[in-house]
C-alpha cells in the first residue's frame, strides 16, 4: 500500500485522460456540427467508434493482471491518445478543402483514441484499486474522479481561452500543446509507483476466457454491470449535444460554449468535493450519492429543456453528475477489487459496459436530434433529448436504490487519516 501523496500523484493520469477526452466529446463535436455545418450524427458515429473500440478494455485489464505491470500500458495508451487527439484536430483544419481526407483521418483518430483510453484508463484504475484497502478504496476512487473532472475543466477552459480568436490553424497548435502536457503528466504520475507496491498478486486465471466467465458468474458483478450500463447511458446522452445546444439555441461562440462546458464540469467537481467532505464526517453513503446525483441531474436536464437560465441549469446538471460519479464509481472500485488477481478483468468488464452505453447514447442522441430538427424547431428538438435523459436518470436512481442497498460499497468514501 502507498500513502495519499502517492495516490494523488498517480491520479494525475486521470487528469490527463480527462483533459484529452473532453476535447473530442465537447469542442470537436461542436466545431463539426456548427462551424463545419456537418450532421450531428457524424460526430455521434465517431464517438461511438471510439467507445466501440473500448470493448477491448477486458483484454487490457487481463493483460495487466497477467503481466503484473500496468505502467507500460498506461504510458503507451496515453501516447496513442495524444497522437489521436492531434490528428483529429488536424482533420478539422483540412475538412473544408479535403472532406474525404478529413473523414479518413477522423475514423483513424477516433479508433486510436478508443484503444489509447481503453489501455491507459483500465490499467490506471486497476493499479489504483491495488493502492489501498477497505474504506480507502472509495477515497482513492473519489480522488481519481476529482482529478478527471479537474483535467476536463482545465482543458476546456484553457483551450477556450487559447482559441480566442478561433481559427483551425490555432486549434491544431493549441491541441498539440495540450497533448504534450498530458503525456508529461502521466510520466510524472507513474514514476516509481509500482515499485512501491511490490509484486502484483498472481492472476486468478491466466487465460482471458476463463477470467471473463468467472467474473460474469458473480451475481453482484452482473447486477452492477447492468446498473453501470443504464446510468452511464443516461449520463452520456447529452454529452455530444450540450455544446451544439449552446450554439444553436443560445447563439454562443465556440470559445464561449467551451467555457460553459468547463463551468458545468466545475459544478461536477464541486459535487464530488461536497460528497467527499460529508462522507468524511460519516454523513451519507455511496448509494445515497448515486441516487441523489441521478435525481439532481434529471432536474438540471428538465430545466435546460424548459429554456430556464442556461448557467443555473448547467450548474445543476453538473452538480448532479458529480454526486452520481462519486456513488457509482466508488462502488465500482470496491467491487472490482474484491478478488485479488482479477482486478483488471473486473474493471475491464465494467469499463466495457460503460463504453457500450456511452457509444449508444451518443448515436441515439445525435440521430434523434438530426431527425427532430428536420420537422421541429431547435428548442423542441433539444428539449426532447433532454427529457428522455431525465427519465433515464430517474430509472437509474430506482435501480441504485435496489442493487446498492446491501453493497459492500456502502462505507463512507473518505476517512480522515487513511
Amino acid at each position: 500500500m502507498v500513502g495519499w501523496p502517492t495516490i494523488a500523484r498517480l491520479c494525475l493520469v486521470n487528469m490527463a485522460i480527462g483533459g484529452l477526452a473532453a476535447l473530442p466529446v465537447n469542442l470537436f463535436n461542436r466545431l463539426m456540427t456548427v462551424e463545419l455545418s456537418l450532421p450531428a450524427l457524424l460526430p455521434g458515429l465517431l464517438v461511438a467508434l471510439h467507445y466501440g473500440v473500448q470493448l477491448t478494455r477486458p483484454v487490457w485489464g487481463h493483460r495487466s493482471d497477467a503481466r503484473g505491470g500496468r505502467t507500460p500500458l498506461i504510458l503507451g495508451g496515453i501516447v496513442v491518445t495524444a497522437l489521436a487527439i492531434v490528428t483529429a484536430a488536424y482533420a478539422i483544419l483540412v475538412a473544408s478543402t479535403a472532406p474525404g481526407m478529413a473523414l479518413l483521418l477522423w475514423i483513424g483518430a477516433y479508433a486510436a483514441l478508443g484503444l489509447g483510453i481503453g489501455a491507459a484508463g483500465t490499467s490506471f484504475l486497476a493499479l489504483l484499486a491495488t493502492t489501498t484497502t477497505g474504506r480507502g478504496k472509495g477515497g482513492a476512487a473519489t480522488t481519481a474522479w476529482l482529478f478527471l473532472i479537474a483535467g476536463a475543466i482545465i482543458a476546456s477552459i484553457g483551450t477556450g481561452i487559447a482559441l480566442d480568436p478561433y481559427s483551425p490553424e490555432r486549434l491544431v497548435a493549441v491541441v498539440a500543446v495540450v497533448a504534450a502536457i498530458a503525456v508529461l503528466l502521466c510520466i510524472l504520475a507513474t514514476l516509481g509507483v509500482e515499485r512501491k507496491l511490490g509484486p502484483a498478486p498472481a492472476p486468478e486465471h491466466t487465460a482471458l476466457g476463463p477470467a471473463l466467465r468467472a467474473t460474469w458468474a458473480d451475481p453482484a458483478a452482473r447486477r452492477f454491470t447492468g446498473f453501470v450500463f443504464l446510468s452511464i447511458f443516461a449520463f452520456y446522452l447529452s454529452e455530444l449535444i450540450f455544446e451544439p445546444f449552446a450554439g444553436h439555441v443560445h447563439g454562443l461562440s465556440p470559445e464561449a460554449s467551451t467555457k460553459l462546458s468547463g463551468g458545468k464540469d466545475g459544478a461536477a467537481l464541486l459535487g464530488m468535493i461536497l460528497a467527499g467532505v460529508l462522507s468524511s464526517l460519516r454523513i451519507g453513503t455511496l448509494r445515497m450519492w448515486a441516487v441523489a446525483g441521478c435525481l439532481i441531474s434529471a432536474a438540471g436536464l428538465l430545466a435546460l429543456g424548459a429554456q430556464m437560465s442556461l448557467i443555473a441549469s448547467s450548474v445543476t446538471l453538473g452538480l448532479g453528475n458529480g454526486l452520481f460519479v462519486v456513488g457509482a464509481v466508488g462502488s465500482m472500485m470496491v467491487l472490482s477489487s474484491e478478488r485479488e488477481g482479477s482486478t483488471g478483468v473486473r474493471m475491464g468488464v465494467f469499463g466495457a459496459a460503460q463504453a457500450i452505453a456511452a457509444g449508444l447514447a451518443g448515436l441515439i442522441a445525435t440521430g434523434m436530434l438530426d431527425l427532430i430538427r428536420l420537422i421541429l424547431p431547435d428548442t423542441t428538438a433539444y428539449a426532447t433529448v433532454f427529457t428522455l435523459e431525465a427519465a433515464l436518470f430517474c430509472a437509474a436512481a430506482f435501480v441504485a436504490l435496489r442493487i446498492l442497498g446491501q453493497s459492500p460499497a456502502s462505507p463512507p468514501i473518505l476517512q480522515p487519516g487513511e
Side-chain angles (χ1 to χ4, degrees):
M1 301 303 107
V2 298
W4 283 106
T6 301
I7 292 173
R9 176 164 64 87
L10 179 60
C11 287
L12 289 173
V13 171
N14 232 25
M15 178 178 283
I17 292 174
L20 292 178
L23 297 181
V25 172
N26 295 322
L27 177 60
F28 294 177
N29 168 62
R30 182 245 154 80
L31 293 174
M32 292 180 199
T33 307
V34 180
E35 273 63 36
L36 295 177
S37 299
L38 296 171
L41 186 59
L42 174 60
L45 288 168
L46 290 171
V47 172
L49 171 63
H50 141 244
Y51 283 120
V53 172
Q54 288 189 49
L55 290 176
T56 57
R57 277 179 177 264
V59 177
W60 300 119
H62 180 262
R63 184 180 178 86
S64 67
D65 284 339
R67 297 290 177 89
R70 310 189 198 271
T71 301
L73 288 176
I74 293 172
L75 295 181
I78 208 68
V79 168
V80 171
T81 302
L83 292 174
I85 291 292
V86 175
T87 302
Y90 177 73
I92 292 174
L93 171 64
V94 303
S96 57
T97 56
M101 178 185 293
L103 180 60
L104 290 176
L105 288 173
W106 279 326
I107 292 172
Y110 278 76
L113 183 66
L115 284 175
I117 290 180
T122 304
S123 302
F124 159 71
L125 289 173
L127 177 59
L128 184 66
T130 63
T131 59
T132 56
T133 58
R135 291 172 178 171
K137 290 186 182 298
T142 303
T143 304
W145 284 82
L146 286 173
F147 275 64
L148 181 80
I149 297 298
I153 293 169
I154 293 169
S156 296
I157 295 179
T159 302
I161 294 172
L163 282 178
D164 190 10
Y166 169 76
S167 71
E169 293 80 8
R170 193 180 186 91
L171 172 71
V172 175
V174 170
V175 169
V177 172
V178 172
I181 292 172
V183 172
L184 289 175
L185 276 179
C186 288
I187 293 173
L188 293 173
T190 56
L191 196 63
V193 171
E194 285 196 279
R195 285 201 301 271
K196 292 182 180 180
L197 292 173
E204 252 190 340
H205 302 277
T206 55
L208 177 61
L212 287 174
R213 287 193 292 271
T215 296
W216 197 247
D218 182 352
R222 283 202 309 274
R223 288 194 297 269
F224 188 74
T225 301
F227 167 70
V228 167
F229 179 87
L230 176 61
S231 58
I232 295 298
F233 184 83
F235 186 87
Y236 278 97
L237 203 61
S238 64
E239 195 74 7
L240 288 182
I241 67 171
F242 182 76
E243 288 207 34
F245 165 72
H248 284 142
V249 176
H250 293 274
L252 269 60
S253 64
E255 55 270 23
S257 67
T258 302
K259 292 174 185 175
L260 179 69
S261 181
K264 177 172 71 73
D265 290 337
L269 183 62
L270 178 62
M272 291 181 185
I273 294 172
L274 177 65
V277 170
L278 291 177
S279 295
S280 69
L281 300 174
R282 297 185 178 272
I283 300 173
T285 63
L286 293 178
R287 179 179 73 162
M288 185 184 115
W289 303 130
V291 172
C294 287
L295 295 178
I296 294 173
S297 296
L301 288 161
L302 292 174
L304 283 174
Q307 300 301 306
M308 298 175 69
S309 168
L310 179 60
I311 294 177
S313 302
S314 301
V315 167
T316 301
L317 175 59
L319 182 66
N321 286 174
L323 294 174
F324 159 75
V325 163
V326 167
V329 179
S331 300
M332 184 188 300
M333 288 287 293
V334 174
L335 187 59
S336 70
S337 58
E338 281 188 326
R339 292 185 181 178
E340 286 193 349
S342 63
T343 300
V345 172
R346 286 183 165 226
M347 195 63 73
V349 169
F350 299 149
Q354 173 183 325
I356 295 171
L360 281 176
L363 277 176
I364 291 174
T366 54
M368 280 182 59
L369 187 63
D370 281 340
L371 288 174
I372 298 173
R373 288 181 68 208
L374 291 174
I375 55 176
L376 294 173
D378 285 349
T379 53
T380 305
Y382 282 101
T384 302
V385 180
F386 290 150
T387 302
L388 172 62
E389 184 177 9
L392 290 172
F393 261 125
C394 290
F398 176 76
V399 173
L401 279 172
R402 291 178 61 85
I403 73 166
L404 297 183
Q406 303 299 322
S407 169
S410 58
I413 300 167
L414 295 174
Q415 292 298 322
E418 284 195 321

